[in-house]
Short mmCIF file of all heavy atoms in Angstrom, two decimals:
data_model
loop_
_atom_site.label_atom_id
_atom_site.label_comp_id
_atom_site.label_asym_id
_atom_site.label_seq_id
_atom_site.Cartn_x
_atom_site.Cartn_y
_atom_site.Cartn_z
N ASP A 27 -29.11 -19.99 35.81
CA ASP A 27 -29.48 -18.68 36.32
C ASP A 27 -28.28 -17.92 36.87
O ASP A 27 -28.21 -16.68 36.77
CB ASP A 27 -30.54 -18.81 37.41
CG ASP A 27 -31.90 -19.21 36.86
OD1 ASP A 27 -32.13 -19.04 35.65
OD2 ASP A 27 -32.73 -19.69 37.65
N SER A 28 -27.32 -18.64 37.43
CA SER A 28 -26.18 -18.01 38.06
C SER A 28 -25.24 -17.30 37.08
O SER A 28 -24.43 -16.47 37.50
CB SER A 28 -25.38 -19.04 38.86
OG SER A 28 -24.92 -20.08 38.03
N VAL A 29 -25.34 -17.61 35.78
CA VAL A 29 -24.43 -17.02 34.80
C VAL A 29 -25.15 -16.18 33.76
O VAL A 29 -24.49 -15.56 32.91
CB VAL A 29 -23.57 -18.09 34.09
CG1 VAL A 29 -22.84 -18.95 35.12
CG2 VAL A 29 -24.42 -18.95 33.16
N LYS A 30 -26.47 -16.12 33.79
CA LYS A 30 -27.22 -15.33 32.82
C LYS A 30 -26.79 -13.87 32.88
O LYS A 30 -26.67 -13.29 33.95
CB LYS A 30 -28.72 -15.45 33.07
CG LYS A 30 -29.32 -16.78 32.66
CD LYS A 30 -30.82 -16.80 32.93
CE LYS A 30 -31.43 -18.13 32.50
NZ LYS A 30 -32.88 -18.19 32.80
N GLY A 31 -26.58 -13.29 31.70
CA GLY A 31 -26.16 -11.91 31.61
C GLY A 31 -24.67 -11.71 31.71
O GLY A 31 -24.18 -10.60 31.45
N ARG A 32 -23.93 -12.74 32.10
CA ARG A 32 -22.48 -12.65 32.23
C ARG A 32 -21.73 -13.55 31.25
O ARG A 32 -20.67 -13.18 30.75
CB ARG A 32 -22.04 -12.98 33.65
CG ARG A 32 -22.64 -12.07 34.72
CD ARG A 32 -22.03 -12.33 36.09
NE ARG A 32 -22.28 -13.69 36.56
CZ ARG A 32 -21.33 -14.58 36.83
NH1 ARG A 32 -20.05 -14.25 36.69
NH2 ARG A 32 -21.65 -15.79 37.27
N PHE A 33 -22.27 -14.75 31.00
CA PHE A 33 -21.62 -15.73 30.12
C PHE A 33 -22.39 -15.81 28.80
O PHE A 33 -23.62 -15.66 28.76
CB PHE A 33 -21.61 -17.12 30.75
CG PHE A 33 -20.71 -17.27 31.96
CD1 PHE A 33 -20.11 -16.18 32.56
CD2 PHE A 33 -20.48 -18.53 32.48
CE1 PHE A 33 -19.30 -16.32 33.68
CE2 PHE A 33 -19.66 -18.69 33.59
CZ PHE A 33 -19.07 -17.59 34.19
N THR A 34 -21.66 -16.11 27.72
CA THR A 34 -22.26 -16.31 26.42
C THR A 34 -21.65 -17.54 25.76
O THR A 34 -20.44 -17.63 25.60
CB THR A 34 -22.04 -15.10 25.50
OG1 THR A 34 -22.60 -13.93 26.10
CG2 THR A 34 -22.73 -15.33 24.15
N ILE A 35 -22.50 -18.51 25.38
CA ILE A 35 -22.04 -19.68 24.65
C ILE A 35 -22.28 -19.46 23.16
O ILE A 35 -23.28 -18.87 22.76
CB ILE A 35 -22.74 -20.97 25.14
CG1 ILE A 35 -22.11 -22.21 24.51
CG2 ILE A 35 -24.24 -20.92 24.89
CD1 ILE A 35 -22.61 -23.52 25.11
N SER A 36 -21.35 -19.92 22.34
CA SER A 36 -21.47 -19.81 20.89
C SER A 36 -20.80 -21.02 20.25
O SER A 36 -20.13 -21.81 20.93
CB SER A 36 -20.86 -18.51 20.38
OG SER A 36 -19.48 -18.44 20.69
N ARG A 37 -20.96 -21.17 18.93
CA ARG A 37 -20.33 -22.29 18.24
C ARG A 37 -20.05 -21.93 16.80
O ARG A 37 -20.71 -21.07 16.21
CB ARG A 37 -21.21 -23.55 18.32
CG ARG A 37 -22.54 -23.44 17.59
CD ARG A 37 -23.45 -24.62 17.93
NE ARG A 37 -22.96 -25.87 17.37
CZ ARG A 37 -23.46 -27.08 17.68
NH1 ARG A 37 -24.43 -27.18 18.58
NH2 ARG A 37 -22.96 -28.17 17.11
N ASP A 38 -19.05 -22.60 16.24
CA ASP A 38 -18.71 -22.50 14.83
C ASP A 38 -18.84 -23.92 14.28
O ASP A 38 -17.96 -24.75 14.48
CB ASP A 38 -17.29 -21.96 14.66
CG ASP A 38 -16.93 -21.73 13.20
OD1 ASP A 38 -17.52 -22.38 12.32
OD2 ASP A 38 -16.03 -20.90 12.95
N ASN A 39 -19.93 -24.19 13.60
CA ASN A 39 -20.20 -25.55 13.13
C ASN A 39 -19.17 -26.03 12.11
O ASN A 39 -18.84 -27.22 12.06
CB ASN A 39 -21.61 -25.64 12.53
CG ASN A 39 -22.69 -25.51 13.57
OD1 ASN A 39 -22.48 -25.80 14.75
ND2 ASN A 39 -23.87 -25.08 13.15
N ALA A 40 -18.65 -25.12 11.29
CA ALA A 40 -17.65 -25.50 10.30
C ALA A 40 -16.36 -25.96 10.95
O ALA A 40 -15.61 -26.75 10.37
CB ALA A 40 -17.37 -24.33 9.36
N LYS A 41 -16.08 -25.48 12.16
CA LYS A 41 -14.87 -25.85 12.88
C LYS A 41 -15.12 -26.85 14.00
O LYS A 41 -14.19 -27.21 14.71
CB LYS A 41 -14.20 -24.60 13.46
CG LYS A 41 -13.73 -23.60 12.42
CD LYS A 41 -13.07 -22.40 13.07
CE LYS A 41 -12.57 -21.42 12.03
NZ LYS A 41 -11.94 -20.23 12.65
N ASN A 42 -16.37 -27.29 14.16
CA ASN A 42 -16.75 -28.21 15.24
C ASN A 42 -16.26 -27.70 16.60
O ASN A 42 -15.72 -28.45 17.41
CB ASN A 42 -16.20 -29.61 14.98
CG ASN A 42 -16.88 -30.30 13.81
OD1 ASN A 42 -18.06 -30.07 13.55
ND2 ASN A 42 -16.13 -31.15 13.11
N THR A 43 -16.46 -26.42 16.83
CA THR A 43 -15.92 -25.77 18.01
C THR A 43 -17.00 -24.99 18.74
O THR A 43 -17.83 -24.32 18.11
CB THR A 43 -14.77 -24.82 17.64
OG1 THR A 43 -13.73 -25.57 17.00
CG2 THR A 43 -14.20 -24.14 18.87
N ALA A 44 -16.99 -25.08 20.07
CA ALA A 44 -17.86 -24.28 20.93
C ALA A 44 -17.01 -23.36 21.78
O ALA A 44 -15.85 -23.65 22.08
CB ALA A 44 -18.71 -25.18 21.82
N TYR A 45 -17.60 -22.24 22.18
CA TYR A 45 -16.91 -21.24 22.98
C TYR A 45 -17.77 -20.85 24.16
O TYR A 45 -19.00 -20.95 24.13
CB TYR A 45 -16.61 -19.98 22.15
CG TYR A 45 -15.87 -20.24 20.86
CD1 TYR A 45 -16.57 -20.44 19.67
CD2 TYR A 45 -14.49 -20.29 20.83
CE1 TYR A 45 -15.90 -20.68 18.49
CE2 TYR A 45 -13.82 -20.53 19.65
CZ TYR A 45 -14.52 -20.72 18.48
OH TYR A 45 -13.86 -20.96 17.31
N LEU A 46 -17.12 -20.39 25.21
CA LEU A 46 -17.81 -19.82 26.35
C LEU A 46 -17.10 -18.54 26.74
O LEU A 46 -15.99 -18.57 27.28
CB LEU A 46 -17.84 -20.79 27.54
CG LEU A 46 -18.65 -20.32 28.75
CD1 LEU A 46 -20.15 -20.28 28.40
CD2 LEU A 46 -18.41 -21.22 29.95
N GLN A 47 -17.73 -17.41 26.44
CA GLN A 47 -17.22 -16.11 26.85
C GLN A 47 -17.73 -15.80 28.24
O GLN A 47 -18.94 -15.75 28.47
CB GLN A 47 -17.66 -15.02 25.87
CG GLN A 47 -17.18 -13.62 26.22
CD GLN A 47 -15.69 -13.47 26.12
OE1 GLN A 47 -15.09 -13.90 25.14
NE2 GLN A 47 -15.07 -12.88 27.14
N MET A 48 -16.82 -15.60 29.19
CA MET A 48 -17.16 -15.38 30.58
C MET A 48 -16.72 -13.98 30.98
O MET A 48 -15.53 -13.68 31.00
CB MET A 48 -16.50 -16.43 31.48
CG MET A 48 -16.85 -17.86 31.10
SD MET A 48 -16.14 -19.08 32.25
CE MET A 48 -14.40 -18.84 31.90
N ASN A 49 -17.69 -13.13 31.29
CA ASN A 49 -17.42 -11.76 31.70
C ASN A 49 -17.88 -11.56 33.14
O ASN A 49 -18.67 -12.34 33.68
CB ASN A 49 -18.14 -10.77 30.79
CG ASN A 49 -17.69 -10.84 29.36
OD1 ASN A 49 -16.52 -11.09 29.07
ND2 ASN A 49 -18.61 -10.60 28.43
N SER A 50 -17.41 -10.49 33.75
CA SER A 50 -17.78 -10.15 35.13
C SER A 50 -17.64 -11.34 36.06
O SER A 50 -18.53 -11.67 36.84
CB SER A 50 -19.22 -9.60 35.16
OG SER A 50 -19.35 -8.46 34.34
N LEU A 51 -16.50 -12.00 35.98
CA LEU A 51 -16.28 -13.22 36.74
C LEU A 51 -16.29 -12.94 38.24
O LEU A 51 -15.82 -11.90 38.70
CB LEU A 51 -14.97 -13.87 36.33
CG LEU A 51 -15.04 -14.63 35.00
CD1 LEU A 51 -13.65 -14.86 34.43
CD2 LEU A 51 -15.77 -15.96 35.19
N LYS A 52 -16.82 -13.91 38.98
CA LYS A 52 -16.92 -13.84 40.43
C LYS A 52 -16.14 -15.00 41.05
O LYS A 52 -15.96 -16.03 40.41
CB LYS A 52 -18.39 -13.94 40.87
CG LYS A 52 -19.31 -12.91 40.25
CD LYS A 52 -20.76 -13.17 40.64
CE LYS A 52 -21.69 -12.17 40.03
NZ LYS A 52 -23.11 -12.44 40.40
N PRO A 53 -15.69 -14.86 42.30
CA PRO A 53 -14.99 -15.97 42.95
C PRO A 53 -15.79 -17.27 42.94
O PRO A 53 -15.19 -18.35 42.83
CB PRO A 53 -14.76 -15.46 44.37
CG PRO A 53 -14.66 -13.99 44.21
CD PRO A 53 -15.66 -13.64 43.13
N GLU A 54 -17.10 -17.19 43.03
CA GLU A 54 -17.92 -18.39 43.02
C GLU A 54 -17.97 -19.08 41.66
O GLU A 54 -18.53 -20.18 41.54
CB GLU A 54 -19.35 -18.09 43.50
CG GLU A 54 -20.00 -16.90 42.81
CD GLU A 54 -19.90 -15.62 43.62
OE1 GLU A 54 -18.80 -15.34 44.15
OE2 GLU A 54 -20.91 -14.91 43.75
N ASP A 55 -17.41 -18.46 40.61
CA ASP A 55 -17.28 -19.11 39.31
C ASP A 55 -16.08 -20.05 39.26
O ASP A 55 -15.92 -20.78 38.27
CB ASP A 55 -17.13 -18.07 38.20
CG ASP A 55 -18.38 -17.22 38.02
OD1 ASP A 55 -19.50 -17.78 38.08
OD2 ASP A 55 -18.23 -16.01 37.80
N THR A 56 -15.23 -20.03 40.28
CA THR A 56 -14.05 -20.89 40.31
C THR A 56 -14.46 -22.35 40.25
O THR A 56 -15.24 -22.82 41.07
CB THR A 56 -13.23 -20.63 41.57
OG1 THR A 56 -12.72 -19.29 41.54
CG2 THR A 56 -12.06 -21.60 41.68
N ALA A 57 -13.93 -23.08 39.26
CA ALA A 57 -14.29 -24.48 39.05
C ALA A 57 -13.49 -25.05 37.89
O ALA A 57 -12.85 -24.31 37.14
CB ALA A 57 -15.79 -24.61 38.76
N ASP A 58 -13.54 -26.37 37.76
CA ASP A 58 -13.12 -27.02 36.53
C ASP A 58 -14.28 -26.96 35.54
O ASP A 58 -15.40 -27.35 35.89
CB ASP A 58 -12.72 -28.47 36.78
CG ASP A 58 -11.36 -28.62 37.42
OD1 ASP A 58 -10.40 -28.01 36.91
OD2 ASP A 58 -11.26 -29.35 38.43
N TYR A 59 -14.01 -26.50 34.33
CA TYR A 59 -15.04 -26.36 33.31
C TYR A 59 -14.86 -27.45 32.27
O TYR A 59 -13.76 -27.64 31.73
CB TYR A 59 -14.97 -24.98 32.66
CG TYR A 59 -15.57 -23.90 33.53
CD1 TYR A 59 -14.91 -23.47 34.67
CD2 TYR A 59 -16.80 -23.32 33.22
CE1 TYR A 59 -15.46 -22.50 35.49
CE2 TYR A 59 -17.35 -22.35 34.02
CZ TYR A 59 -16.68 -21.94 35.16
OH TYR A 59 -17.22 -20.97 35.97
N TYR A 60 -15.95 -28.17 31.98
CA TYR A 60 -15.92 -29.32 31.08
C TYR A 60 -16.81 -29.07 29.87
O TYR A 60 -17.97 -28.69 30.02
CB TYR A 60 -16.39 -30.58 31.79
CG TYR A 60 -15.52 -31.01 32.94
CD1 TYR A 60 -15.74 -30.53 34.23
CD2 TYR A 60 -14.47 -31.90 32.74
CE1 TYR A 60 -14.94 -30.92 35.29
CE2 TYR A 60 -13.67 -32.29 33.79
CZ TYR A 60 -13.91 -31.81 35.06
OH TYR A 60 -13.12 -32.20 36.11
N CYS A 61 -16.28 -29.34 28.70
CA CYS A 61 -17.06 -29.28 27.48
C CYS A 61 -17.77 -30.62 27.26
O CYS A 61 -17.23 -31.68 27.60
CB CYS A 61 -16.14 -28.98 26.29
SG CYS A 61 -16.98 -28.86 24.70
N ASN A 62 -18.97 -30.56 26.70
CA ASN A 62 -19.72 -31.76 26.37
C ASN A 62 -20.31 -31.60 24.97
O ASN A 62 -20.77 -30.52 24.61
CB ASN A 62 -20.84 -31.98 27.39
CG ASN A 62 -21.68 -33.20 27.07
OD1 ASN A 62 -22.72 -33.10 26.42
ND2 ASN A 62 -21.24 -34.36 27.53
N ALA A 63 -20.29 -32.69 24.19
CA ALA A 63 -20.83 -32.65 22.84
C ALA A 63 -21.56 -33.94 22.53
O ALA A 63 -21.05 -35.03 22.79
CB ALA A 63 -19.73 -32.41 21.81
N ASP A 64 -22.76 -33.81 21.97
CA ASP A 64 -23.56 -34.93 21.51
C ASP A 64 -23.21 -35.16 20.04
O ASP A 64 -23.61 -34.37 19.19
CB ASP A 64 -25.04 -34.62 21.69
CG ASP A 64 -25.95 -35.79 21.37
OD1 ASP A 64 -25.46 -36.85 20.95
OD2 ASP A 64 -27.17 -35.63 21.55
N VAL A 65 -22.45 -36.23 19.76
CA VAL A 65 -21.80 -36.40 18.46
C VAL A 65 -22.32 -37.64 17.75
O VAL A 65 -22.46 -38.70 18.35
CB VAL A 65 -20.27 -36.51 18.61
CG1 VAL A 65 -19.61 -36.65 17.24
CG2 VAL A 65 -19.73 -35.29 19.33
N ARG A 66 -22.58 -37.51 16.45
CA ARG A 66 -22.84 -38.65 15.59
C ARG A 66 -21.54 -38.98 14.86
O ARG A 66 -20.97 -38.12 14.19
CB ARG A 66 -23.96 -38.34 14.60
CG ARG A 66 -24.39 -39.54 13.76
CD ARG A 66 -25.38 -39.13 12.69
NE ARG A 66 -25.85 -40.26 11.90
CZ ARG A 66 -26.41 -40.18 10.70
NH1 ARG A 66 -26.59 -39.00 10.14
NH2 ARG A 66 -26.80 -41.27 10.07
N VAL A 67 -21.08 -40.23 14.98
CA VAL A 67 -19.81 -40.64 14.39
C VAL A 67 -20.01 -41.77 13.40
O VAL A 67 -21.04 -42.45 13.41
CB VAL A 67 -18.79 -41.05 15.47
CG1 VAL A 67 -18.57 -39.92 16.45
CG2 VAL A 67 -19.26 -42.31 16.20
N TYR A 68 -18.99 -41.99 12.56
CA TYR A 68 -19.01 -43.07 11.59
C TYR A 68 -17.67 -43.80 11.66
O TYR A 68 -16.61 -43.20 11.48
CB TYR A 68 -19.24 -42.54 10.18
CG TYR A 68 -19.26 -43.60 9.11
CD1 TYR A 68 -20.19 -44.63 9.14
CD2 TYR A 68 -18.34 -43.58 8.05
CE1 TYR A 68 -20.21 -45.61 8.16
CE2 TYR A 68 -18.36 -44.55 7.07
CZ TYR A 68 -19.29 -45.57 7.12
OH TYR A 68 -19.32 -46.54 6.15
N THR A 69 -17.71 -45.10 11.94
CA THR A 69 -16.49 -45.90 12.10
C THR A 69 -15.96 -46.46 10.78
O THR A 69 -14.86 -47.00 10.76
CB THR A 69 -16.74 -47.08 13.04
OG1 THR A 69 -17.68 -47.97 12.44
CG2 THR A 69 -17.29 -46.59 14.38
N GLY A 70 -16.72 -46.36 9.70
CA GLY A 70 -16.41 -47.01 8.44
C GLY A 70 -17.35 -48.16 8.17
O GLY A 70 -17.44 -48.64 7.05
#
């Protein structure tokens, strides 16, 4: 709720990449930001 209307998450599946566009930033947004991904892998 604290970021609705200000932040936008998106992804490019072909590049295995996610983005977070952060607009109208506030001092209370100050933090370490961590990406998380639920991944299916194959070891061989």
